[in-house]
Amino acid sequence: MRTQKPFKSAAALAAAAALGLAACSTPDSDESVPGVTDDTVTIGTHQPLTGPAAAGYATISAATAAYFEYVNANGGINGREIEYLVKDDGYDPSATQSAVRELVTEEKVFAIVNGLGTPTHSAVLDYLDQQSVPDLFVSSGSLTWNQPDVYENTFAFNADYVTEGAALAQYAVDQQPDAKICVLGQDDDYGDGIIEGVETVLGSNAVTDVQVYSTSAEDLTAQMGAMMAAGCEVNVLGTINGFTAMAVGTAAQMEWFPKWYVSSSGADYPTLAGYLGADLAPQLLQGMVSVNYLPFSPDGEWVALFEEINAEYNDGAPFTGNTVFGMSVGYLFAEALAAAGDDPTRESLVAAIESGDLVGNGIVPLSFAEGDHAAYRSVGITVVNEGVQDYVGTTYEVGAGSVSAVEPNPVPLANEGIPGS
Amino acid sequence: MKTLLRALLITLLAIGGTFALDPFRNYQLALAAACFAAVAGLTVLVGLTGQLSLGHAVLMAAGGYGFAFAASAVDGPWPLALLAGLAAAAVVSGLLGLLLGAAAARLRGPYLAGLTLALVIALPAAANTLPLGGDQGAPAPFFPVPEALAALIAVEQWHAWLAIVVAAIAVTPLVVLRSGSAGLRMRAVLDDETASRLSAVDPGAVKTGAFVASAVPAGLGGAVLAIATQQVTPGGYGLAFSLLLVVAAVIGGLGSIGGAAIGSVLVTVLPWLIDELAALAPDDLGRRLDGNLALLLFGAGLIALTTAWPGGAARLLDRLRAARPLRFATPSTTTER
């Protein structure tokens, strides 16, 4: 401190020099794999447990943790239990920085799994690359995560937003060829991706109106007003859950009821119903179209398993799309870890994912391969009918600038949802 | 001269101290150093001229953006990029400080606080409207450990060194300023504007100057944050952070630079420490407390602290050191209850 007297400073300097011999910050030279012991594997994530995005996404990590508890209770993966450390970042990129550094340097995690958010995870992308930490299954559909040449350890989980935007626009065109289609997007990679996808299908001049908002915005009155004035009939939304609810609610207040086509990141029916109220949601969200790639059909075998796990290990928390998402991510990591061998290293984990052998639990198999770090290139259309959101069977595969209909090919449940062995 | 020697000694001491810390502590030290630069500027402003600024986070952000854009634009060896970035940080924050100072010279008390508060609230909108990268922010270049040191220290420790040196460069002039004739003029203006005008001290000029002198270290603090995190986002400089800077100045003792150092370390470490404690609580409870408990305990602690020691940590230190007379006048508007 600046008021210290010189002799005190000298004494402290000597003490510091003595401590310096311990040199705790010196780069590690020991050979052991960070986060892996004989009977545990420690991984970490950053999630918005507080802040503006908490209401929409805070339940994801709880579901993932519950799935890992289920795996651990059944012997773990290759004899190792998975320890899942969740750090809150409040959806604030600077907080993500601190959270992830703590996970990597203090907790010495094996990998970062399912870090949530485009702006938040962008803040730590370079850091994780410099530290050679596997950065798996990022919870965001930005194209940023699929750059194997630059970020060789980073893998996406969501279908990317361009794919989602293109599939939504294609379905809109198939359903109502002459409708006026508009887009509302978040003012970052998320919204940009959705807009790009829609424009891929329609052509850039055929979109009737494009509006953007920022996550720090208080309301969407101006955007909804402009879209209503433009005569939009189909609104494609690249919005997070809270803003989807706000858009639908604001339009309803204006007594305007267009068709809603929403990206998977902002179209979780139970979560939206939480915002809009259980009595109004079935009417307001009737016919809402979205896309997905995870097994959340209410009568499917995966959902049955996940519901069991949710009841036993997650205190019976409300079962939503976030629950399916969180547990699917957990399943995918467990599958990757099982494939990484009896003595997993960071290299063998990344190699296992790049091998292309992982299938995941989606409605189509994963598309990971060497040189391709995107998880899903095909998405299925879902529609809300009388308060139930389910697949309608239409599935699109989005390639370079083109959208084609494909048959869904769901991955069956095996070995009670515990990979390996 | 004595001040410079002392600053040099403390800087070397702090750099030596980084060897005793693990990488995450060194990262926190860098954050604390960034806070320290801003809080030192703030504490001199509030303590010596009585101008309450709630917007120092925006001055830090200005410095951070200045650093990020200038350092990214320089295509040369890293010291050049670093210096260009720091210079830009000082210039941008200084200009913004001058603008604010000009207004500050005409406003007092709650009106100035309101103006600076509005600035903080306007930051996200400004970041989305101006070409500053929106909520995603602007990337700042990464400064790897120089090769000669690569075997000895980790990147976090290297960034802590940079942070300490920049903070020292930012704060030392403040110490000189405070103990020199400029500090005397500031106190004169605080005590009685009419009297100081009669003594040929122009209160407007002094207040504006004080604001600039306080803005530049804050901007350099923002540059330090940009070095440590390689990113400048409006979310990182929100209202909560801005108020935290004021908290650090109050905890440390208004007007005291040593107190600013203590306050900065406290506001950097305490929230993290409380979160660690919350993590020890049972699973379900811990999940509910995560993030929220910190705010609650922090608020309660602050109230307790200001009740027990209104003069802050600096006054407490003084008292422990056998009641040395205070070297500064306590401002009448901000600490008197």
Side-chain angles (χ1 to χ4, degrees):
Chain A
M1 311 303 120
R2 289 191 177 262
T3 45
Q4 231 160 15
K5 289 184 177 166
F7 73 90
K8 273 192 186 167
S9 310
L13 185 62
L19 279 168
L21 294 176
C24 299
S25 258
T26 310
D28 259 336
S29 55
D30 74 279
E31 298 291 311
S32 67
V33 179
V36 178
T37 67
D38 286 343
D39 46 16
T40 59
V41 172
T42 307
I43 57 174
T45 190
H46 62 87
Q47 299 283 331
L49 303 181
T50 58
Y57 302 107
T59 51
I60 292 179
S61 50
T64 313
Y67 172 78
F68 286 143
E69 270 183 56
Y70 166 74
V71 169
N72 293 345
N74 287 285
I77 300 294
N78 292 339
R80 288 187 182 83
E81 294 201 342
I82 299 171
E83 278 188 36
Y84 184 56
L85 304 175
V86 181
K87 291 276 172 203
D88 177 28
D89 66 8
Y91 210 69
D92 167 9
S94 59
T96 312
Q97 283 275 359
S98 294
V100 167
R101 273 162 207 265
E102 190 180 350
L103 287 170
V104 171
T105 60
E106 282 285 277
E107 312 284 358
K108 305 218 178 329
V109 293
F110 181 47
I112 297 290
V113 176
N114 201 227
L116 191 145
T118 302
T120 44
H121 199 75
S122 297
V124 292
L125 189 60
D126 284 305
Y127 173 75
L128 290 173
D129 182 50
Q130 286 144 22
Q131 304 289 320
S132 306
V133 179
D135 176 17
L136 308 184
F137 320 136
V138 182
S139 184
S140 143
S142 169
L143 289 170
T144 315
W145 326 128
N146 181 16
Q147 297 184 65
D149 297 339
V150 191
Y151 302 109
E152 48 192 52
N153 297 322
T154 298
F155 294 85
F157 183 73
N158 298 29
D160 67 79
Y161 299 133
V162 180
T163 297
E164 290 200 357
L168 287 170
Q170 186 65 47
Y171 189 68
V173 172
D174 290 351
Q175 294 293 308
Q176 295 167 269
D178 303 320
K180 284 187 172 179
I181 299 176
C182 303
V183 189
L184 170 68
Q186 193 163 301
D187 65 344
D188 54 20
D189 284 5
Y190 178 23
D192 291 348
I194 296 291
I195 294 167
E196 187 186 332
V198 173
E199 287 180 346
T200 311
V201 173
L202 300 180
S204 53
N205 297 323
V207 183
T208 305
D209 192 28
V210 174
Q211 294 288 326
V212 294
Y213 72 94
S214 111
T215 44
S216 45
E218 302 284 334
D219 66 67
L220 294 174
T221 315
Q223 288 89 340
M224 284 300 112
M227 290 169 86
M228 189 175 165
C232 304
E233 291 164 285
V234 170
N235 288 344
V236 180
L237 302 188
T239 52
I240 55 178
N241 283 320
F243 283 91
T244 307
M246 203 189 282
V248 173
T250 306
Q253 276 171 0
M254 298 172 171
E255 299 191 354
W256 181 43
F257 302 96
K259 290 265 179 214
W260 301 103
Y261 282 54
V262 191
S263 151
S264 67
S265 300
D268 181 33
Y269 180 80
T271 307
L272 293 176
Y275 279 106
L276 293 167
D279 48 339
L280 282 178
Q283 295 157 38
L284 290 179
L285 299 174
Q286 175 65 25
M288 180 182 79
V289 174
S290 182
V291 288
N292 214 309
Y293 37 90
L294 296 175
F296 79 125
S297 294
D299 49 0
E301 50 186 0
W302 284 101
V303 164
L305 172 75
F306 288 162
E307 274 177 339
E308 259 174 55
I309 297 175
N310 191 52
E312 192 171 346
Y313 297 98
N314 201 15
D315 296 333
F319 192 86
T320 66
N322 282 348
T323 317
V324 174
F325 184 94
M327 292 197 186
S328 299
V329 163
Y331 176 81
L332 179 53
F333 176 74
E335 196 187 357
L337 185 63
D342 283 340
D343 294 303
T345 61
R346 286 176 166 173
E347 292 75 21
S348 77
L349 181 68
V350 169
I353 303 168
E354 280 200 328
S355 72
D357 293 340
L358 303 188
V359 291
N361 66 347
I363 58 159
V364 286
L366 292 165
S367 59
F368 287 132
E370 203 169 329
D372 187 359
H373 289 189
Y376 291 99
R377 294 201 175 280
S378 303
V379 290
I381 296 292
T382 69
V383 174
V384 173
N385 188 20
E386 292 175 3
V388 178
Q389 191 171 28
D390 199 1
Y391 289 104
V392 293
T394 312
T395 306
Y396 292 110
E397 181 172 351
V398 181
S402 71
V403 183
S404 49
V406 294
E407 281 299 305
N409 178 19
V411 179
L413 177 66
N415 198 29
E416 293 177 342
I418 299 174
S421 61
Chain B
M1 205 56 216
K2 214 172 147 194
T3 312
L4 287 185
L5 271 179
R6 201 163 70 174
L8 193 68
L9 191 65
I10 293 174
T11 307
L12 288 177
L13 185 70
I15 287 181
T18 59
F19 280 102
L21 302 174
D22 60 35
F24 185 65
R25 301 282 169 272
N26 269 323
Y27 172 68
Q28 286 184 319
L29 180 66
L31 299 189
C35 262
F36 173 47
V39 173
L42 182 61
T43 202
V44 165
L45 183 71
V46 183
L48 264 65
T49 71
Q51 305 183 89
L52 179 58
S53 163
L54 302 179
H56 259 51
V58 172
L59 293 167
M60 283 183 89
Y65 278 114
F67 178 87
F69 285 114
S72 307
V74 172
D75 188 24
W78 69 265
L80 204 63
L82 183 70
L83 287 177
L86 290 177
V91 169
V92 173
S93 58
L95 284 177
L96 187 60
L98 185 66
L99 207 65
L100 269 178
R106 289 163 182 79
L107 298 172
R108 48 179 69 238
Y111 303 103
L112 177 60
L115 172 76
T116 49
L117 188 69
L119 212 62
V120 182
I121 293 170
L123 179 66
N128 282 311
T129 315
L130 304 172
L132 296 176
D135 285 346
Q136 217 156 317
F142 172 69
F143 293 101
V145 188
E147 256 172 53
L149 291 169
L152 190 63
I153 59 174
V155 63
E156 283 84 3
Q157 193 175 356
W158 168 241
H159 286 168
W161 287 17
L162 292 178
I164 290 166
V165 171
V166 175
I169 293 170
V171 174
T172 309
L174 270 182
V175 181
V176 175
L177 197 77
R178 202 181 67 126
S179 55
S181 62
L184 207 59
R185 279 197 286 271
M186 288 183 204
R187 288 184 195 103
V189 170
L190 174 69
D191 284 344
D192 192 327
E193 291 198 11
T194 316
S196 60
R197 204 173 275 127
L198 285 174
S199 327
V201 175
D202 176 6
V206 169
K207 282 178 161 182
T208 312
F211 223 106
V212 175
S214 157
V216 171
L220 289 174
V224 169
L225 272 190
I227 293 173
T229 63
Q230 294 109 54
Q231 184 108 0
V232 191
T233 58
Y237 299 97
L239 185 59
F241 182 67
S242 206
L243 294 180
L244 213 54
L245 294 177
V246 180
V247 168
V250 172
I251 292 180
L254 289 171
S256 157
I257 305 259
I262 299 175
S264 313
V265 171
L266 279 181
V267 297
T268 313
V269 173
L270 264 189
W272 167 81
L273 207 62
I274 294 171
D275 269 350
E276 290 293 290
L277 287 180
L280 295 179
D283 240 19
D284 183 42
L285 185 69
R287 207 175 291 151
R288 212 168 299 161
L289 290 179
D290 208 359
N292 298 321
L293 184 68
L295 298 175
L296 184 70
L297 284 186
F298 205 75
L302 181 66
I303 294 172
L305 194 88
T306 40
T307 315
W309 305 303
R315 183 88 73 88
L316 188 68
L317 280 187
D318 283 341
R319 200 180 300 164
L320 292 179
R321 255 187 262 135
R324 261 205 285 165
L326 282 178
R327 287 144 302 163
F328 57 88
T330 316
S332 55
T333 48
T334 47
T335 57
E336 206 170 68
R337 288 164 306 131

